[in-house]
Amino acid sequence: MRVSRRGLLAGAAAGGGLIVAWWLMPRSYATPLVAASGEHVFGAWLKIATDGVVTVAVPQLEMGQGITTLLPQIVAYELGADWRQIAIEPAPVSGAYANVPLATKWMPLWDPAFAGLSDAADDLIALRFAQGQRFNATAAGTSLAAYELPCREAAAAARAMLAQEAASRWGASWEECEVEGGFVKLGDKRLGFGELAEAAAGYTPPDPPPLRPEPPREPPLPADVDAAPAYPRIDLPSKVDGTYRFAGDVRLPGMVFASIRHGPVDGSELTGFDREAAGGVRGLAGIVESKRWLAVAADTWWGAEAALAAMKPKFAAPTPVGSADIAARLDTLLTAGEAHVIAETGYGGEALERVDIGRRYEVEPAYAAPVESATAAARFADGRLDLWIASQAPEQARIAAARAIGIATEDVALYPMPAGGSFDARLEHDHAIEIALIARALGRPVQLTWPRRDELIRAKPRAPAWLLLGAQIAKGGPEGTGGAIDAMRIRIATPPAALEFGKRLFGNLTSMAAIRETTGEPDPMACEGAVPPYQIPALLVEHIPAEIGLPVGRVRGNAHGPTIFAIESFIDEIAAKAKRDPFSFRMSMLGSDVRLAACLQRAASLAGWDGGADQSGQGLACARIGEGPEAARIACVATARQGEGGVRVIRLSVAADIGRIVNHDIARQQIEGGLVFGIGIALGNPVRLRGGLPEAVDPGALGLPTLAECPEMRIEFLASEAPPADPGELGAVVAPPAIANALYSATGLRLRRLPLLSDGI
């Protein structure tokens, strides 16, 4: 008898309680897909119609990152389908699509008591959680890690079933058949998928499925080559012609449209409004008041918004927080707050006998500011809620909506919609709760769209962070090799942002309750990226948990943004003090990460790196996100030049290693989009809070880059046999320090706060 860890755990659980045993034992799920007329279901991932159309279920939120192309591409490749016959549909929320890698990564957020028992135990518990909780959230670049193999296995099984049916008609062995271009072939015989689908669907899928020898891959192209993609984006044509449907495009019989007003800060309470003032608005359909917000529905959204403006709702707010208050708290805590060690490598903190160079870096809150503000449509009837919403965590949104109106989760049908951008904003589900309450109160279908003002004031920005970095420098050394780092200490004063987010997402707590429950708690995930990729003999990283009175959450780049900005700026400052070339200085410390060193070499070559001499206007930075072979790596050289209106970044030269490339075009788009996001973080305007409210709520006040202001971008990927890694965050975290270092090179002015022009120059 074979004894496995899984069997041992499950067997031991039988003596300790049936509930635990049920939690650990394997489970299976009926396919969640429903066949339309002429379609035949092949497992949980695809359907094949009699006209040959292959429909692929996509269990991840499309928010511009191209996942509705990437997963279908994997299916098409493994199945042997023609790309022109591929269609997509959002997958229903189901345990069949569990995102296990994300559940494992976020285990400290949903089960801190058991996180870290062992890798095997964590994996098993995360698997059961993800399946049992129908956890198919889209976040942290885990889509390929979670779904590439299931997609390949499903497609390989379907390919074998089609081949078996064709072979039975030809009196041949199915292993002799070839499947490509949407046909099963044997010599000069061929049959299309549509001709075989009905009978093939009745076959038992082979176990294990016969995967193709090689996984899908595309070769990296030179930076200046712009070849036509082998798999063009499925969503692009409909986005260009305007037919792509978002939650704001949903139309239901008898639907009305709602707008909403929230208090200035979390914990605000509605104290009054002028109900009579709405009487002059045409098509008024209802007023819904809650303890913390006021909503109005009308025949048009503009009518609802006009009514709200006329009613002038008033709120009583707790002591409001301002930007100056936040800065003062972080400033005090950075030097005097209680610190918790979250990482210690090499000789650790004991090796730091002195500080030869110390610098402080400040990172302001960063807002996601997606193009599409929070939007959802809902219908409540006969005790059931139908909900159309873009959500990165659909099951958690479903649970929150059900609890809000006191019905069972199974009585909520959630229809996944794409998002017009997210940058992690759609991990929050406040608007799912609100529309459930509004739909129940009105008794008719309703669509809720937050005004841009409310999108900003209700946003949970990326947490601000004040960082203090100190280094002990080796004495002596040959000419040109000085400045070697003997030891480094990094102190980070920032809220426990990941824990706070986890309390909202998994505990369904309000923002203020989540802050109360996590105050003072150390949070390693809030300090991700603080362990540099460089070989440093001794490193100590400390977190000072900060309570700043402002709810914070996830925004593109997350904790890697502040930590990589500070570290890469600090490395440049050490190099400058030692009169070392920033490139060669970094290369001397990258012996343990040859892949990142190769990225740095290639980026320098693309940029024509000139040694970073004074006034050259070139600055570089590199970053690694993740651990081990699955980590993504990037290096960037920013070039700044004096021009009309001052110094301007004119070029970003980038080299990245993301392992095996599945879709080169989408990977490049992700890097480009991240770089533009990073430019906005670096050179945009900070959101200043006064009395709890942003001083300006117009999107233009954020100072985000326009297309005309974007620099030239040269992006090249390195060939790699490593597992695929997500490129989505790379550009966002590497651009700010590269730009800061370029501006120093061009002007001699060192800017240590993000956004870089927060206090002017």
Side-chain angles (χ1 to χ4, degrees):
M1 176 176 130
R2 181 173 173 271
V3 179
S4 67
R5 174 178 288 273
R6 180 192 298 268
L8 186 62
L9 286 171
L18 293 175
I19 293 177
V20 178
W22 174 85
W23 175 257
L24 293 175
M25 289 296 288
R27 278 173 271 160
S28 60
Y29 300 87
T31 176
L33 297 185
V34 177
S37 177
E39 287 185 333
H40 303 281
V41 175
F42 288 74
W45 288 92
L46 64 131
K47 300 182 290 185
I48 303 177
T50 52
D51 61 2
V53 172
V54 178
T55 300
V56 180
V58 179
Q60 296 278 272
L61 174 66
E62 176 60 70
M63 45 190 172
Q65 84 279 35
I67 196 64
T68 47
T69 296
L70 207 58
L71 295 185
Q73 172 191 340
I74 293 166
V75 169
Y77 165 83
E78 191 68 50
L79 181 62
D82 188 293
W83 187 237
R84 293 168 295 183
Q85 70 186 116
I86 297 294
I88 58 172
E89 71 175 43
V93 181
S94 167
Y97 308 110
N99 187 339
V100 180
L102 184 59
T104 304
K105 179 178 176 63
W106 283 0
M107 192 174 175
L109 307 185
W110 54 264
D111 194 0
F114 287 94
L117 290 178
S118 71
D119 289 345
D122 284 0
D123 290 346
L124 182 57
I125 294 171
L127 172 66
R128 292 297 164 245
F129 167 82
Q131 291 178 336
Q133 296 297 311
R134 295 179 282 235
F135 183 68
N136 64 321
T138 309
T142 53
S143 295
L144 277 177
Y147 300 116
E148 182 184 27
L149 184 58
C151 281
R152 289 190 66 198
E153 290 178 338
R159 170 167 43 85
M161 294 158 73
L162 292 166
Q164 287 170 353
E165 171 57 21
S168 72
R169 298 185 187 185
W170 297 329
S173 168
W174 72 270
E175 289 89 351
E176 300 176 68
C177 299
E178 293 184 4
V179 185
E180 60 181 10
F183 292 92
V184 181
K185 303 175 183 179
L186 182 63
D188 58 356
K189 303 172 185 175
R190 73 176 196 171
L191 289 168
F193 286 0
E195 301 172 81
L196 300 166
E198 183 175 6
Y203 282 77
T204 300
D207 186 16
L211 296 175
R212 295 188 186 275
E214 285 294 318
R217 74 169 67 239
E218 292 186 358
L221 299 174
D224 298 323
V225 173
D226 192 15
Y231 295 89
R233 286 185 65 143
I234 290 177
D235 57 337
L236 194 57
S238 56
K239 285 182 175 177
V240 171
D241 67 22
T243 58
Y244 199 74
R245 298 189 69 190
F246 298 91
D249 298 313
V250 171
R251 294 294 181 268
L252 301 169
M255 174 181 281
V256 292
F257 301 86
S259 187
I260 196 166
R261 288 288 186 278
H262 300 92
V265 294
D266 278 272
S268 300
E269 294 188 11
L270 181 66
T271 57
F273 58 92
D274 185 356
R275 185 181 294 269
E276 300 302 320
V281 175
R282 283 177 142 190
L284 190 68
I287 299 170
V288 183
E289 58 179 296
S290 174
K291 181 180 180 181
R292 305 198 185 279
W293 47 263
L294 178 68
V296 173
D299 288 348
T300 67
W301 185 85
W302 296 107
E305 178 66 12
L308 274 172
M311 293 162 68
K312 295 183 173 59
K314 295 180 175 59
F315 295 87
T319 304
V321 65
S323 294
D325 303 318
I326 294 173
R329 293 185 194 185
L330 292 173
D331 184 61
T332 300
L333 287 169
L334 185 60
T335 54
E338 181 184 358
H340 301 264
V341 175
I342 60 166
E344 196 167 12
T345 64
Y347 297 106
E350 293 182 359
L352 193 69
E353 299 175 349
R354 65 184 186 277
V355 175
D356 296 316
I357 179 172
R359 295 291 185 269
R360 187 175 85 165
Y361 302 90
E362 302 170 358
V363 180
E364 302 239 20
Y367 288 75
V371 173
E372 179 193 33
S373 63
T375 305
R379 175 176 54 207
F380 182 73
D382 302 323
R384 291 184 57 84
L385 179 71
D386 293 315
L387 180 60
W388 289 261
I389 192 170
S391 174
Q392 290 179 247
E395 182 65 2
Q396 282 60 48
R398 187 168 167 246
I399 292 169
R403 289 180 179 175
I405 56 177
I407 63 175
T409 304
E410 299 306 318
D411 289 328
V412 178
L414 188 146
Y415 302 92
M417 303 298 294
S422 176
F423 314 121
D424 280 352
R426 299 301 164 244
L427 281 166
E428 306 289 343
H429 48 241
D430 294 8
H431 57 307
I433 294 170
E434 293 165 358
I435 198 168
L437 292 165
I438 294 168
R440 184 183 65 176
L442 295 179
R444 61 189 298 184
V446 61
Q447 184 180 95
L448 170 67
T449 302
W450 282 10
R452 179 59 59 181
R453 163 198 178 275
D454 288 71
E455 175 71 34
L456 194 60
I457 69 171
R458 293 294 296 172
K460 278 68 173 183
R462 187 179 71 189
W466 263 226
L467 303 97
L468 188 61
L469 280 69
Q472 178 176 302
I473 307 301
K475 300 296 184 182
E479 182 69 25
T481 63
I485 302 171
D486 270 349
M488 184 183 290
R489 181 183 184 184
I490 302 174
R491 287 170 62 90
I492 307 171
T494 190
L499 296 178
E500 184 183 322
F501 159 74
K503 293 293 184 182
R504 291 195 302 269
L505 184 68
F506 298 111
N508 206 32
L509 297 186
T510 65
S511 295
M512 299 313 293
I515 289 175
R516 286 193 296 272
E517 288 213 6
T518 57
T519 295
E521 291 292 319
D523 185 356
M525 291 178 67
C527 303
E528 284 185 310
V531 176
Y534 306 110
Q535 281 182 310
I536 297 175
L539 174 72
L540 178 68
V541 180
E542 298 171 309
H543 177 211
I544 302 117
E547 197 284 291
I548 60 173
L550 177 72
V552 292
R554 293 179 60 86
V555 172
R556 190 174 195 174
N558 295 294
H560 288 92
T563 55
I564 290 172
F565 167 71
I567 290 168
E568 288 300 294
S569 297
F570 190 51
I571 294 295
D572 248 48
E573 296 208 52
I574 296 174
K577 184 175 181 179
K579 296 182 172 53
R580 296 281 302 276
D581 173 358
F583 168 78
S584 63
F585 186 59
R586 284 174 170 82
M587 289 295 293
S588 70
M589 297 186 290
L590 283 174
S592 61
D593 195 335
V594 294
R595 292 172 62 190
L596 185 55
C599 289
L600 188 57
Q601 286 180 314
R602 186 57 190 146
S605 176
L606 285 172
W609 176 257
D610 61 3
D614 289 345
Q615 307 300 311
S616 74
Q618 287 191 326
L620 56 79
C622 53
R624 182 179 67 201
I625 297 181
E627 299 295 332
E630 294 83 7
R633 295 163 170 85
I634 191 169
C636 174
V637 177
T639 304
R641 290 285 184 267
Q642 288 279 357
E644 200 172 311
V647 180
R648 182 179 177 186
V649 179
I650 63 167
R651 185 180 304 110
L652 296 174
S653 304
V654 170
D657 183 340
I658 60 169
R660 172 170 49 87
I661 301 170
V662 177
N663 187 304
H664 188 277
D665 191 51
I666 288 178
R668 178 177 284 181
Q669 290 171 20
Q670 283 284 278
I671 297 288
E672 288 174 346
L675 291 172
V676 173
F677 194 91
I679 292 169
I681 294 291
L683 301 177
N685 300 325
V687 176
R688 297 294 190 196
L689 300 176
R690 181 177 296 173
L693 282 171
E695 292 181 348
V697 295
D698 185 276
L702 297 175
L704 301 179
T706 64
L707 188 60
E709 294 167 333
C710 290
E712 173 193 354
M713 299 180 191
R714 302 186 70 202
I715 299 168
E716 195 165 294
F717 294 99
L718 275 63
S720 177
E721 293 301 316
D726 180 70
E729 311 284 273
L730 292 176
V733 302
V734 80
I739 291 171
N741 292 335
L743 293 180
Y744 172 75
S745 173
T747 67
L749 185 65
R750 174 58 64 179
L751 302 171
R752 301 190 180 95
R753 171 178 276 198
L754 277 181
L756 296 173
L757 307 182
S758 296
D759 298 319
I761 293 183

